[in-house]
C-alpha cells in the first residue's frame, strides 16, 4: 500500500496527512533507526518525532536509506516549550538532523507559559510562511489554549496532538476540535486502553483481528490521526495491517461508550 492508497486528512494549504503514523518516542540510537526503517518498509509514510526525543538523526538516516521519495513521506517534529526565542534555530537543527529542507508538520510540544504562548505560535507561523514547514500545530493543548492562539493571530493550529484512546473518548472535546478546523491526533493509543476489555475483544473477534488493531481502526474511522509506536518488527507490521476492515456504526458507538462511563 503506497501513500496514495492510505486514508488521509486534509490540513490547511492542501497538505494531506496520513491518518496512521509511526511514533518514535522512547526509541533512540540504532533501535530507532531499525524501527523507522522497518516501518517504512512495512508501508508507513507518516513519521512522528520531536527535538526532545533525541532521535531525529536516526529517523533522517532511515528515511534516506529507505529509498523513498521525500514527497511521499509526511514528517512531523516538535519544538520544546523552553525554546521560546530560539524557535528558528531549533527548527534549523531539526531539519539538519533529519536531512530535509522542510518538515510537513511542526508542533509546539506542549504549552509554554501564558506570556510565551502567542510569541512562540507566531514564530511557528513565520516558519510556515517561509516554507520551512508545510503546516504548524500544537500538542497537549486544551481547547481554551487553542482559542487563545486563534483569537490572537486568526490562525488555527492545523493539528493538536494529545493522549487519546477509547477509554479517553470525549465527544465534546472531539467536537471542539472539529468545530475549529483543528485535526485531532492521538498518541499512546494502547497505553491508555484496556485491550482486554470485552467490547474490544468481541469486536476484534468479529473481524478476525486483534483488539489493538480495532483501537487503531477506531481512530481512523473517526478521522482521528493515530501514531502507534513499537520497535518490534511484528508489532510494527500488525499495527499497519488495519486497512482491510472497517467498523460498523454500532461498533463505533460501543467503543465510544468506553470513554463515557
Amino acid at each position: 500500500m503506497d501513500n496514495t492508497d492510505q486514508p488521509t486528512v486534509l490540513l490547511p494549504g492542501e497538505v494531506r496527512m496520513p491518518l496512521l503514523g509511526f511514533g518514535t518516542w522512547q526509541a533512540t540510537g540504532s533501535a530507532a533507526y531499525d524501527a523507522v526503517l522497518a516501518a517504512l518498509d512495512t508501508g508507513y509514510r507518516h513519521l512522528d518525532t520531536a527535538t526532545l526525543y533525541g532521535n531525529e538523526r536516526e529517523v533522517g538516516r532511515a528515511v534516506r536509506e529507505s529509498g523513498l521519495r521525500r514527497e511521499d513521506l509526511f514528517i512531523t517534529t516538535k519544538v520544546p516549550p523552553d525554546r521560546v526565542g530560539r524557535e528558528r534555530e531549533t527548527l534549523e537543527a531539526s531539519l539538519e538532523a533529519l536531512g530535509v529542507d522542510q518538515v510537513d508538520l511542526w508542533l509546539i510540544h506542549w504549552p509554554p507559559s501564558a506570556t510565551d504562548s502567542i510569541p512562540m505560535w507566531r514564530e511557528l507561523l513565520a516558519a510556515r510562511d517561509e516554507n520551512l514547514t508545510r503546516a504548524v500545530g500544537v500538542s497537549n493543548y486544551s481547547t481554551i489554549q487553542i482559542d487563545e492562539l486563534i483569537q490572537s493571530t486568526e490562525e488555527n493550529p492545523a493539528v493538536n496532538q494529545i493522549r487519546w484512546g477509547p477509554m479517553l473518548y470525549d465527544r465534546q472535546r472531539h467536537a471542539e476540535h472539529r468545530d475549529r478546523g483543528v485535526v485531532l491526533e492521538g498518541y499512546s493509543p494502547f497505553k491508555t486502553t484496556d485491550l482486554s476489555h470485552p467490547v474490544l475483544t468481541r469486536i476484534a473477534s468479529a473481524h478476525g483481528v486483534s483488539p489493538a488493531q480495532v483501537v487503531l481502526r477506531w481512530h481512523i474511522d473517526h478521522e482521528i490521526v493515530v501514531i502507534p509506536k513499537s520497535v518490534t518488527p511484528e508489532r510494527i507490521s500488525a499495527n499497519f495491517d488495519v486497512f482491510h476492515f472497517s467498523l460498523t456504526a454500532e461498533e463505533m458507538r460501543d467503543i465510544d461508550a468506553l470513554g463515557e462511563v
Side-chain angles (χ1 to χ4, degrees), residues 22 65 72 102 181 235:
F22 185 72
E65 296 186 12
D72 292 334
Q102 177 191 61
R235 188 75 54 80

Side-chain angles (χ1 to χ4, degrees), residues 84-85 87 113-124 149:
V84 171
E87 297 89 352
S113 67
T115 54
D116 290 333
S117 188
I118 304 304
M120 188 168 225
W121 178 235
R122 290 190 189 281
E123 286 298 315
L124 267 72
L149 300 184

Side-chain angles (χ1 to χ4, degrees), residues 42-117:
T42 298
Y44 293 86
R45 295 296 178 261
H46 167 188
L47 303 173
D48 181 271
T49 183
T51 293
L52 279 180
Y53 296 173
N55 62 17
E56 288 173 316
R57 205 162 292 281
E58 288 77 14
V59 171
R61 184 160 69 94
V63 165
R64 285 191 302 279
E65 296 186 12
S66 72
L68 294 166
R69 299 185 308 168
R70 171 65 186 93
E71 58 265 34
D72 292 334
L73 299 175
F74 188 99
I75 301 173
T76 299
T77 194
K78 312 177 194 77
V79 56
D82 62 0
R83 299 295 180 94
V84 171
R86 294 181 291 148
E87 297 89 352
R88 178 59 58 89
E89 68 182 74
T90 301
L91 179 56
E92 288 173 351
S94 289
L95 294 174
E96 190 275 328
L98 288 162
V100 298
D101 296 326
Q102 177 191 61
V103 290
D104 299 284
L105 179 64
W106 193 33
L107 305 177
I108 300 175
H109 207 149
W110 63 88
S113 67
T115 54
D116 290 333
S117 188

Side-chain angles (χ1 to χ4, degrees), residues 119-209:
M120 188 168 225
W121 178 235
R122 290 190 189 281
E123 286 298 315
L124 267 72
L125 294 171
R128 181 203 62 193
D129 292 345
E130 292 177 39
N131 293 318
L132 296 175
T133 179
R134 297 172 69 212
V136 288
V138 295
S139 182
N140 301 304
Y141 270 59
S142 67
T143 301
I144 290 173
Q145 290 167 324
I146 288 172
D147 283 344
E148 289 170 352
L149 300 184
I150 296 171
Q151 288 159 9
S152 296
T153 64
E154 297 186 351
E155 291 266 16
N156 299 26
V159 171
N160 184 25
Q161 185 184 115
I162 58 176
R163 279 169 64 93
W164 197 259
M167 309 299 180
L168 298 178
Y169 185 68
D170 181 333
R171 189 179 306 275
Q172 180 178 340
R173 196 164 191 208
H174 187 194
E176 288 168 352
H177 283 78
R178 199 166 48 238
D179 292 347
R180 287 158 178 77
V182 178
V183 170
L184 180 56
E185 178 176 13
Y187 66 82
S188 297
F190 306 138
K191 191 174 288 189
T192 60
T193 302
D194 175 9
L195 293 175
S196 66
H197 193 284
V199 167
L200 296 177
T201 57
R202 169 176 57 81
I203 294 172
S205 178
H207 291 278
V209 299

